Amino acid sequence: MKRRDFLKVAAAGGLMVAANAGPALARDAKARITGAVGLLYDSTVCVGCKACVSACKQYNETPPSFSSSDELWDNPLDNDSKTYNSIKLYKDGTAEVKDREKDGHAYIKRQCMHCVDPACASACPVSALKKDEKTGIVTYNKDACIGCRYCQLACPFNIPKFEWEKAFPEIRKCELCSHRLKKGEIPACAEFCPTGACVFGPVEELLAEAKKRLTYKPGDSEMYPVERVNGRQMTERMVVPYIPRVYGEKEGGGTQVLYLAGVPFDKLGLPDLEEKPSAQQSETIQHTLYKGMIAPIVFLGGLVYIVHKNTKDE
């Protein structure tokens, strides 16, 4: 079959079906669940001690991840299948001043963002990744997973990791210590953060706390919560200038992990996303292609034409 003939059949089939097809099945973006829980990470409060990394590994029972040839230290440089939570360093020039973009340095915590409308769950063909209806936490079911890794391709934050080193690999990522929440505890990263850089709580309260901090005057002393956003433990510290934005409030349709920083978020490795969730866009494209079974019918039309051309002279 000549390429020109196939294209003619495909185009004709597409036009025929498109004539009967309605508008795309675009869905509305999902809203944040009432009662959703998450984390507020304030980069200006973080001292880079990595206590959160150690606590995460201890309470999720993950093995060490080595980045040096001697393999003496558990020192992951980034999130991987053995590390669900990492602290990374930004530095520029002389790196003299903390939380300053030029000639400064800052820390950034990377983990699953528990998106309001998660692309990973949308892309998963077997619902191995789901959003909990009460907490909004994105959880993983290893028994349902088929290892297709579509979740890895879909995530705009590059979070789900695959256990390439294992014969029967699974996807690994933060589940906000769901096993600890069931016991009335909080995520280990928040409980063991000594400075209050990472605090746990209802997302609505975390967002209110973040916006309150944006009103603080640099140089003043203010009280910051430790462990829980609505807890009793507080610490006093001097305010440094913030980037006037709460990352995660709207990015990618919103996330349940929120960020404050003194350095632009893109410099810290957080992607500059549209407010529209990527899951909504990808599902709209899929629904458009399969509206009226356009794509399968065009493909079938091509196959029928090939058979016809090859057999008509027999």
Side-chain angles (χ1 to χ4, degrees), residues 27-37 114-118 131-137 203-204 248-250 252-256 275-277 279-280:
R27 67 163 172 81
D28 294 332
K30 295 180 180 177
R32 184 173 283 124
I33 296 171
T34 301
V37 296
H114 298 283
C115 300
V116 171
D117 195 348
K131 196 163 179 63
D132 186 272
E133 295 179 353
K134 294 182 178 179
T135 64
I137 296 171
V203 178
E204 289 183 2
E249 180 182 11
K250 298 179 180 177
T255 62
Q256 292 180 203
E275 293 185 12
K276 181 184 294 185
Q280 181 193 17

Side-chain angles (χ1 to χ4, degrees), residues 72 268 283:
L72 293 175
L268 299 177
E283 285 186 22

Side-chain angles (χ1 to χ4, degrees), residues 151-177:
C151 56
Q152 286 190 289
L153 298 174
C155 177
F157 300 102
N158 189 29
I159 291 300
K161 302 301 179 186
F162 192 64
E163 293 178 311
W164 292 102
E165 67 278 13
K166 290 189 176 180
F168 299 99
E170 299 173 7
I171 289 293
R172 296 291 189 180
K173 73 170 200 69
C174 160
E175 296 184 61
L176 213 60
C177 285

Side-chain angles (χ1 to χ4, degrees), residues 13-224:
L15 289 172
M16 178 183 69
V17 180
N20 297 318
L25 298 176
R27 67 163 172 81
D28 294 332
K30 295 180 180 177
R32 184 173 283 124
I33 296 171
T34 301
V37 296
L39 300 171
L40 169 61
Y41 172 77
D42 189 333
S43 174
T44 71
V45 182
C46 183
V47 296
C49 68
K50 297 188 177 182
C52 60
V53 180
S54 297
C56 175
K57 281 182 167 285
Q58 179 180 349
Y59 287 94
N60 285 283
E61 300 181 345
T62 55
S65 182
F66 303 113
S67 60
S68 56
S69 56
D70 54 23
E71 298 191 350
L72 293 175
W73 300 91
D74 180 11
N75 53 352
L77 300 179
D78 203 345
N79 289 28
D80 55 36
S81 62
K82 304 169 185 173
T83 308
Y84 309 159
N85 167 66
S86 64
I87 296 293
K88 305 180 75 171
L89 171 68
Y90 163 82
K91 64 177 182 179
D92 177 80
T94 62
E96 288 180 305
V97 181
K98 185 174 181 297
D99 304 310
R100 190 171 73 183
E101 181 180 359
K102 298 297 182 185
D103 289 328
H105 70 279
Y107 303 105
I108 185 70
K109 184 178 189 291
R110 298 306 308 273
Q111 62 167 84
C112 176
M113 302 290 279
H114 298 283
C115 300
V116 171
D117 195 348
C120 61
S122 174
C124 181
V126 293
S127 299
L129 287 159
K130 285 185 175 179
K131 196 163 179 63
D132 186 272
E133 295 179 353
K134 294 182 178 179
T135 64
I137 296 171
V138 179
T139 59
Y140 171 70
N141 181 357
K142 65 178 183 180
D143 295 325
C145 182
I146 57 175
C148 67
R149 297 185 291 114
Y150 287 171
C151 56
Q152 286 190 289
L153 298 174
C155 177
F157 300 102
N158 189 29
I159 291 300
K161 302 301 179 186
F162 192 64
E163 293 178 311
W164 292 102
E165 67 278 13
K166 290 189 176 180
F168 299 99
E170 299 173 7
I171 289 293
R172 296 291 189 180
K173 73 170 200 69
C174 160
E175 296 184 61
L176 213 60
C177 285
S178 295
H179 59 297
R180 287 171 54 85
L181 295 182
K182 291 177 182 175
K183 297 186 291 185
E185 300 173 327
I186 66 174
C189 60
E191 180 175 341
F192 290 90
C193 177
T195 63
C198 178
V199 292
F200 170 79
V203 178
E204 289 183 2
E205 294 184 26
L206 294 171
L207 184 58
E209 171 68 21
K211 290 186 175 181
K212 183 174 72 174
R213 294 185 191 185
L214 294 182
T215 67
Y216 291 165
K217 182 180 178 182
D220 286 355
S221 291
E222 298 286 354
M223 300 302 293
Y224 285 65

